[in-house]
Structures are given as C-alpha cells and as structure tokens.
Amino acid sequence: MRQQTQPTVTSNSLVSGIREGLTRPGQKQLPSKFLYDEVGSALFEAISVLPEYGLTRADVRLLRRHATDIVSRLPLPVIVAELGTGSGKKTRWLLEALARRRPSCYCPIEISRSALAMCQRELGDIEAISIVGYEAEYLEGLAQVAARRRDGEHLLVLFLGSTIGNFERPAAVEFLRDVRQILRTGDSLLLGTDLEKPVAQLLAAYDDPLGITAAFNLNLLARINRELEADFALQQFRHLARYNPAARSIEMHLRSTHTQTVTLRAAGFTITLEKDETIWTESCHKYAASEVPLLATKAGFDCTTQWLDHEWPFAESLLVAA
Ligand code: AVI
C-alpha cells in the first residue's frame, strides 16, 4: 500500500483535547476518538466478535449479502474512500464486487497507522484493487482523496460500522454536511447506522460479562498514562454503561471509586475527581431506519436505497449527494 502520511492526531491535539475535556466546568469528558490507540483498536476488534455485541456482524452480513446490489447502483468509474477502516475486514465484500466490474482505487482514511497496516494485510490480496492509505483525520483525508480523483471519476465514501452514532445528533448532521461539501453532486455515501433495540440488549452489548468493553474504556486512561505521563490509578475507576432515553444513546463513563487527584505531567495539569464522579468517554446513538433519510436531507443528500438487518437491527443506507 502506498501511504500518504499526514498525521493529524499529534500529541498536541491529544493534549488539547484531553485538557479541554478534563478541566471544563461540570461533567468531565474525553473525546471518544482517543479510545483507538493500538491497544484500543485491538480491544475493539475483540468487542466486535462478542456474542452480546451484534453490531459488527450485522454490518458485515448486510455488506456480504448486498455488495453486488450496492455496487450495481454506482456510476463507474469510482474511487472509494473509507472513513475509519478498523481492520478493513467488512469492506472486502464491496471491494470484491467492485473489482468484478472494474479495477478501482481504494483509499482508507485512518488516524491510526496500525489500523492502516492491518487494512493492507486484510485487503491487499484483492486483485484489481489498488490501495492508497491516508493517515489523517476523516475530513482532511477525504479532501485529499477528492483532490486526486481523475476526470469523470465518481467518489464513493464509506462510513460504516455506525461510527456516525458516536456523534451527538446535531454534530452528526454537521459532519455529514462537511462530507457533502467535499463531494460533487452525484457522488455517493454508504452509511451504516445501528438501529434502536431493547435497552437490556444494548446494555449487555456495552457492558459485556467478559469485561472487554470495560477494558476498552479503561484503556483510555492507560493510554493517557503512557502518552502523557499521567498517574490515573486504573483500579480506582469502574466502567459504566447507561442508557440515556432522551438522547436514545448508550453513554460510556469511567466512574471514580474514590476522591482522588490525578496529574498529567506531560500536559502540565492536575485534576481532582470526587467519589462517584464520572468521566464521559463515549456516546453511541441509536437511530430509527426512517430517521436516516431525514438526516440525509438535512446534510444535502438523498437517501436512495436502504438495506436492513432484522437479526440485529442495523441499516446500510446509500446516500447520493444532491
Ligand atoms: C465504533 N463504534 C460504532 C462503537 C459503538 O458501538 O458505538 C464503539 C464501541 N464502544 C463500545 N463498544 C463499541
């Protein structure tokens, strides 16, 4: 894989994101994108095969079943950009279907170099697909891919795995608008969204009995210890997953079991946590399938087709830039 290296989650943005979230008045918060260092990405891979967490399997099922249909709806030639690839496993079906129609270029965009390497290992054997990885934030990487497209080439953006659910609802609209701005009319976005399901099922998915999700969450503090010379005592925090009915989201928090002081030496600040105070680390919003076309319209797209999984309610929606 050729790689355009423009790292943007520098230690500077890590420091400023963490400082801002931990020192603001009221609820302490950490940006969920920092969950995915090398250890966090590996733990997320483990989450995705847990029996309680059906999201990734639903996403893969839909892509495997409908890859040919999805690809048949795209104008060719096409260049594919994927926002956040993880291991890249679930993209195989689409790329293979595309390769059967025409040789194409696939551009994974990831802030994690190790995820890009994993993606190359996973997908590098697909003939007729050339891979050019972008180590960048989503919008910056997408702008770079858009700038390299050839005349007449259609751009397909993949935003799978319900990462859109990790944005607050207004921020999700804004993000999709920003994506739309980079596209040309007629370009496409394939959007994966996890759908609403019983609260007990969601709580089990985000607080699994093996404690993998707890480890994934706690690793954020471990990462800050490693990268910012901090002294979070991990045994003094508990993973907490709770459903917020107003937001229709699962919130992940880390609850402090004691009143404690933590110093982030390399960032040059100290915080105090009260007993039972939490640090909010992630929100996972759940959608109704019918909400996606409305979200699309607000962001400047038309939702032309939806494919639904009923085993674990999940939607794959094809949006076309209006
Ligand atoms: C990546 N994202 C869609 C996952 C989710 O379900 O919101 C992240 C995750 N957090 C805990 N488990 C999985």
Side-chain angles (χ1 to χ4, degrees):
M1 170 171 67
R2 279 178 294 136
Q3 196 161 312
Q4 315 285 320
T5 303
Q6 270 210 351
T8 44
V9 172
T10 56
S11 43
N12 278 352
S13 78
L14 183 77
V15 170
S16 59
I18 287 169
R19 183 201 305 276
E20 197 279 312
L22 292 182
T23 59
R24 63 165 66 155
Q27 174 70 61
K28 293 182 173 54
Q29 199 164 355
L30 286 168
S32 62
K33 66 180 176 184
F34 297 142
L35 287 162
Y36 300 90
D37 67 344
E38 198 170 354
V39 178
S41 299
L43 287 167
F44 179 68
E45 283 302 304
I47 289 172
S48 71
V49 294
L50 288 173
E52 295 81 10
Y53 188 82
L55 189 157
T56 309
R57 281 186 295 280
D59 198 17
V60 172
R61 254 192 315 272
L62 285 169
L63 295 171
R64 195 178 49 214
R65 270 183 204 150
H66 302 293
T68 306
D69 185 18
I70 294 169
V71 165
S72 75
R73 290 165 195 272
L74 305 172
L76 298 181
V78 70
I79 178 168
V80 182
E82 180 163 15
L83 309 180
T85 61
S87 69
K89 269 183 205 149
K90 57 177 174 275
T91 315
R92 166 170 292 277
W93 311 101
L94 280 178
L95 294 179
E96 286 184 346
L98 187 59
R100 285 195 288 277
R101 289 192 64 193
R102 193 178 172 125
S104 307
C105 178
Y106 167 62
C107 303
I109 300 166
E110 262 290 349
I111 52 173
S112 149
R113 188 170 295 191
S114 56
L116 281 178
M118 197 156 45
C119 181
Q120 168 64 28
R121 281 197 298 278
E122 187 63 38
L123 301 171
D125 65 321
I126 308 177
E127 272 185 40
I129 297 291
S130 54
I131 305 181
V132 182
Y134 285 77
E135 190 182 341
E137 297 268 4
Y138 295 155
L139 294 173
E140 191 188 314
L142 184 59
Q144 290 174 31
V145 175
R148 63 167 286 159
R149 69 155 105 177
R150 301 202 190 98
D151 271 353
E153 211 166 34
H154 177 85
L155 180 51
L156 167 67
V157 181
L158 305 178
F159 198 30
L160 306 174
S162 199
T163 303
I164 193 71
N166 298 131
F167 290 76
E168 296 303 313
R169 284 175 206 274
V173 177
E174 229 168 86
F175 178 74
L176 294 181
R177 256 189 215 139
D178 289 343
V179 169
R180 170 63 190 92
Q181 293 257 298
I182 297 171
L183 303 184
R184 295 188 190 144
T185 303
D187 284 340
S188 312
L189 168 63
L190 186 66
L191 182 68
T193 39
D194 196 25
L195 302 181
E196 292 173 288
K197 43 190 67 65
V199 172
Q201 194 178 3
L202 288 174
L203 289 172
Y206 289 91
D207 194 4
D208 62 275
L210 279 180
I212 310 288
T213 309
F216 172 68
N217 199 7
L218 278 163
N219 175 60
L220 183 48
L221 303 185
R223 176 184 186 179
I224 297 172
N225 283 351
R226 288 190 290 269
E227 296 185 28
L228 298 181
E229 296 172 46
D231 58 3
F232 280 104
L234 301 197
Q235 69 282 4
Q236 297 196 163
F237 288 88
R238 295 287 177 275
H239 168 66
L240 173 69
R242 66 182 179 217
Y243 185 68
N244 177 335
R248 287 180 291 137
S249 69
I250 289 283
E251 291 180 0
M252 293 207 321
H253 292 251
L254 290 162
R255 180 177 62 80
S256 170
T257 57
H258 297 76
T259 297
Q260 52 185 315
T261 297
V262 180
T263 300
L264 293 86
R265 225 159 70 94
F269 71 97
T270 295
I271 56 165
T272 300
L273 286 134
E274 302 302 327
K275 180 177 184 312
D276 292 330
E277 184 177 352
T278 71
I279 303 175
W280 187 0
T281 51
E282 189 176 50
S283 297
C284 312
H285 293 84
K286 305 302 166 188
Y287 283 84
S290 58
E291 266 179 289
V292 180
L294 302 174
L295 176 68
T297 305
K298 283 188 196 159
F301 291 93
D302 293 325
C303 178
T304 58
T305 323
Q306 261 188 341
W307 295 267
L308 302 181
D309 191 80
H310 299 287
E311 199 175 316
W312 176 278
F314 192 94
E316 225 68 80
S317 307
L318 187 61
L319 314 187
V320 176

